[in-house]
Amino acid sequence: HLVVFQNALSASAPIVAVDDGDPSTANCTIDSGETRHAWEAVPDVSWGTSTAMANGAAAPDDPGGSPSTVSTGSSFTNAASTAAAATWVLFQPDGIPRLFTPSGSACTNIGLPAQGGGAIYVTNTERDYAIVMSHLGTVRVHPWNPTTGAWMQ
């Protein structure tokens, strides 16, 4: 399954989960006929963090490698380069998240198990939130506390 954020990879909604099929024939893209689960945008919520609050500060235990959380809203990286931000993650049959690089015709560059952690950052300009996924797939939500100027555990 692919989970795609921010209308990347030709997704039809801000967040889409796609059954890409059998791993031997999966192509790491969203094709017609594949089972999709889409979530519509929430009014007044956008990707990234507010400059008046978290201002790009990484959430606790964010294992992602991308420093561009403010501009992209994601600390997930591309499997080909941990310096390249990604807005997607791949779950293979074992359920562990993996990084990948879409090639358009095949999943030829899939990261190893325990390399697919990262976080998605969203804001409504009144509060910032980080949804952090560990390398093994557990998820925690951290809100930004404007009073203390830090992420809550």
Side-chain angles (χ1 to χ4, degrees):
H1 282 80
L2 307 174
V3 179
V4 182
F5 308 97
Q6 299 175 252
N7 211 7
L9 301 179
S10 302
S12 58
I15 301 173
V16 178
V18 180
D19 183 348
D20 202 27
D22 186 281
S24 64
T25 59
N27 64 358
C28 292
T29 60
I30 301 172
D31 300 315
S32 63
E34 291 177 335
T35 303
R36 302 177 196 198
H37 302 281
W39 292 268
E40 296 302 321
V42 176
D44 301 322
V45 173
S46 59
W47 302 107
T49 57
S50 170
T51 55
M53 286 182 268
N55 197 26
D61 303 317
D62 179 355
S66 174
S68 58
T69 58
V70 173
S71 61
T72 68
S74 171
S75 70
F76 288 98
T77 60
N78 189 315
S81 169
T82 57
T87 55
W88 54 77
V89 66
L90 168 70
F91 292 90
Q92 287 196 312
D94 61 9
I96 296 175
R98 289 180 170 82
L99 306 175
F100 74 93
T101 304
S103 67
S105 61
C107 290
T108 56
N109 195 357
I110 297 175
L112 297 173
Q115 291 181 327
I120 295 295
Y121 293 85
V122 294
T123 185
N124 66 1
T125 69
E126 293 180 24
R127 170 113 356 135
D128 291 348
Y129 292 91
I131 300 89
V132 179
M133 184 171 57
S134 76
H135 291 298
L136 295 177
T138 58
V139 177
R140 292 189 69 175
V141 177
H142 298 280
W144 179 261
N145 185 331
T147 303
T148 63
W151 291 105
M152 296 172 66
Q153 290 290 334

